[in-house]
Amino acid sequence: MKVRGVLAAVLLLVLAPAPAQAAPKDSDLRWSVQPSTAKGPDGRDYIITRAAPGETFTDYVGVTNLTAGKLTFTVYGTDAYNTEDGSFALLPAAQQPTDIGSWVTLGARAYTVPANTRLDIPFSVTVPTGATPGDHAGGIVASIAEESVDAQGQKVLVDRRVAARVYLTVAGAVAPTLKIDTVRLEYAQAANPADGGVMTVRYLVRNTGNLRLTGAGSVRVVGPLGWELARTEDLELPELLPGGSVTITEKILGVQPTVRLAAQVDVVPASFDQKLPTVTRATGVWAWPWALVALLGVALLALAFRYARKVRRKRAAGLDTVTTS
């Protein structure tokens, strides 16, 4: 039977203490994956460990078949990365890992699990001697590929995946660092001048260090002479892996135009071991108070008109004096 297309893989990740489960609406297949031991799950949310270059360690994932029939899973390791919105994700099945996922060794590629049964699968991770210090993130995936039919009636291969996260810190010098790459501002004045306007602030935060980091970002809007016009509440940033980034967008209402507006972005990085210094970046945007400009323009025209009338009257009075003489 020839497969004529491939549907995007469904990937569920361990995001809470409960094991991640796959329960597609269009399939009766259900299973879970969670950190485990040789004797069963030990309550861990994720697999988190430390190792030195050249060291090998062993751990387990529990794969539970939640259906009434046996299931065969493809089990493998892969690398993690941050998506555009900062979410934790794993490489597609067709993409070969180059980091921690390539360091994983399992006893087999496929495992068959009886109905309503959990299988605790051992795996080992061998850290290369040249591995870079710091955090490396990935996952142990249990997947099932099924043939299905799409809306056009074509046969497609659906790869459903469930994974347990793996975080490994390689011993060595660490440098936890966040950087604000860019700050972009847009200002749109409201129809009613009394309402001010809307300032849109977009800033890119990048993890330029070698440890996974979270943090909180805020924006302060100031006018001339440092006059504070608005300040946002702290916005929690997603966990950024080394090299990962996320673009944050903040919309601030009621900002009065003061010809020149500046936005200062402050990001307070947070590691899991220490407090880090605040990172700051600022930029400005022109925001002309057009209603005030128009009002001043009308006032100037009125003054000019009054002045012109006054000049004409004086001239007319001077002519009358000359004629009478």
Side-chain angles (χ1 to χ4, degrees):
M1 185 178 295
K2 184 178 181 182
V3 177
R4 304 174 70 180
V6 177
L7 203 63
V10 176
L11 174 63
L12 306 177
L13 299 173
V14 177
L15 299 175
Q21 297 185 2
K25 294 181 179 180
D26 59 345
S27 174
D28 294 330
L29 303 182
R30 296 182 70 246
W31 69 96
S32 69
V33 179
Q34 63 191 125
S36 192
T37 69
K39 297 181 179 180
D42 54 4
R44 290 178 293 170
D45 295 347
Y46 315 124
I47 297 168
I48 303 176
T49 190
R50 295 175 179 269
E55 184 179 347
T56 298
F57 68 90
T58 299
D59 214 312
Y60 291 79
V61 287
V63 179
T64 304
N65 179 357
L66 301 173
T67 64
K70 67 179 182 180
L71 294 176
T72 298
F73 301 95
T74 300
V75 182
Y76 58 94
T78 193
D79 298 338
Y81 67 99
N82 286 117
T83 61
E84 289 186 1
D85 65 358
S87 298
F88 184 98
L90 298 180
L91 295 179
Q95 186 172 344
Q96 291 296 316
T98 58
D99 198 64
I100 186 173
S102 64
W103 308 344
V104 173
T105 301
L106 289 119
R109 178 71 174 176
Y111 292 85
T112 299
V113 183
N116 298 308
T117 300
R118 185 192 71 251
L119 179 63
D120 297 312
I121 301 173
F123 66 93
S124 64
V125 177
T126 299
V127 183
T129 56
T132 57
D135 287 338
H136 300 258
I140 305 299
V141 178
S143 71
I144 293 179
E146 284 187 302
E147 286 188 359
S148 184
V149 178
D150 63 15
Q152 288 73 39
Q154 294 184 328
K155 291 184 174 64
V156 294
L157 183 65
V158 182
D159 184 19
R160 295 187 173 90
R161 310 194 299 170
V162 186
R165 295 192 194 188
V166 179
Y167 292 110
L168 167 64
T169 302
V170 176
V174 295
T177 310
L178 280 185
K179 178 183 178 183
I180 304 173
D181 266 6
T182 56
V183 178
R184 300 187 185 280
L185 304 181
E186 294 178 5
Y187 183 79
Q189 194 164 341
N192 183 355
D195 293 336
V198 179
M199 175 176 278
T200 302
V201 184
R202 293 184 179 87
Y203 58 98
L204 176 68
V205 181
R206 187 181 305 279
N207 185 345
T208 56
N210 60 359
L211 293 181
R212 56 193 175 102
L213 298 172
T214 59
S218 62
V219 179
R220 178 173 174 261
V221 180
V222 298
L225 304 177
W227 174 28
E228 183 174 303
L229 301 174
R231 182 188 292 267
T232 65
E233 296 182 357
D234 287 348
L235 178 66
E236 185 176 351
L237 302 179
E239 176 189 84
L240 295 179
L241 303 175
S245 64
V246 62
T247 297
I248 304 297
T249 301
E250 294 262 35
K251 288 186 178 294
I252 307 170
L253 307 179
V255 178
Q256 294 296 331
T258 57
V259 181
R260 186 67 177 173
L261 295 172
Q264 176 180 304
V265 177
D266 295 323
V267 173
V268 182
S271 75
F272 298 89
D273 299 320
Q274 59 182 303
K275 185 176 181 180
L276 302 173
T278 301
V279 182
T280 299
R281 185 159 182 169
T283 190
V285 66
W286 293 105
W288 293 95
W290 295 114
L292 179 59
V293 170
L295 183 62
L296 289 175
V298 171
L300 289 174
L301 287 174
L303 288 173
F305 179 73
R306 290 180 60 185
Y307 177 76
R309 287 183 60 186
K310 186 176 180 180
V311 170
R312 285 198 299 270
R313 287 175 180 174
K314 285 185 177 180
R315 288 178 178 177
L319 289 174
D320 288 344
T321 301
V322 172
T323 302
T324 303
S325 300

